[in-house]
Amino acid sequence: MAEDAKFEDGGEKPLHLKAETAEDVPVMAALVQDAVLAITDMTWQPKLRRLALLINRFRWEDRAAAEARGRAYERVRSLLVIDGVLSVSSQGIDRGDTDAVLSILDIVWTPAEDAAGRVEFVLAGDGGIAASVECLDLTLKDVTRPYAAPSGKAPGHPE
């Protein structure tokens, strides 16, 4: 995974990761767990063979530092892009409901022959978005500065 780039004003370093192997996917999945997005923030570009999702993700990578310093937990807007997409499908999503907000629980990579395979975003409520791809090429890049999470808390999961 590659990490680079800075905000234009030279401020804090934004997250910029690329998943190209099966070992990279769990790292990226952990960083986007509990991310939310509106249906209108998904774009499938067949001519470019690209699926792009503009997500609002919790900054899991900063949670320990926030707790140690007693500061607010943060969220950030990020762009999640899959390149080399051959087709996209969804289940359990009403695409006509433009007010719907989806929550990402996991990213699953299922390899096929050669480098091809399937990238699936597992969503809360038994929904999912799947992309059949030529190869694994997934990029996550922060596009805004972090901001305090509105609730001030980290997302919680029942035990």
Side-chain angles (χ1 to χ4, degrees):
M1 293 199 152
E3 188 175 339
D4 59 10
K6 287 194 176 182
F7 287 110
E8 288 181 13
D9 64 5
E12 183 178 339
K13 193 174 190 178
L15 184 71
H16 186 186
L17 301 175
K18 189 160 184 75
E20 295 177 320
T21 68
E23 292 79 22
D24 296 336
V25 175
V27 173
M28 195 167 293
L31 291 169
V32 303
Q33 182 181 19
D34 297 310
V36 293
L37 71 148
I39 285 182
T40 55
D41 288 336
M42 292 189 294
T43 303
W44 160 228
Q45 301 166 313
K47 289 183 180 178
L48 296 175
R49 296 189 335 237
R50 175 177 290 154
L51 175 64
L53 303 131
L54 182 60
I55 64 173
N56 179 338
R57 72 176 188 83
F58 179 75
R59 292 189 67 228
W60 289 109
E61 70 276 17
D62 188 54
R63 182 179 181 180
E67 288 174 355
R69 294 185 181 121
R71 63 178 167 80
Y73 295 110
E74 294 177 329
R75 285 197 168 265
V76 64
R77 295 283 280 175
S78 302
L79 188 59
L80 187 55
V81 176
I82 306 173
D83 282 309
V85 177
L86 303 171
S87 66
V88 177
S89 62
S90 64
Q91 67 177 35
I93 298 172
D94 179 358
R95 292 188 230 174
D97 183 0
T98 57
D99 293 329
V101 175
L102 309 174
S103 180
I104 298 174
L105 299 178
D106 199 3
I107 301 173
V108 178
W109 165 247
T110 306
E113 293 183 29
D114 299 322
R118 176 181 162 112
V119 176
E120 182 178 359
F121 296 97
V122 179
L123 306 174
D126 297 324
I129 302 164
S132 295
V133 296
E134 296 172 325
C135 63
L136 182 58
D137 188 353
L138 184 59
T139 303
L140 175 67
K141 183 176 182 179
D142 291 347
V143 294
T144 67
R145 289 190 171 284
Y147 58 91
S151 70
K153 300 178 183 177
H157 298 276
E159 306 232 355

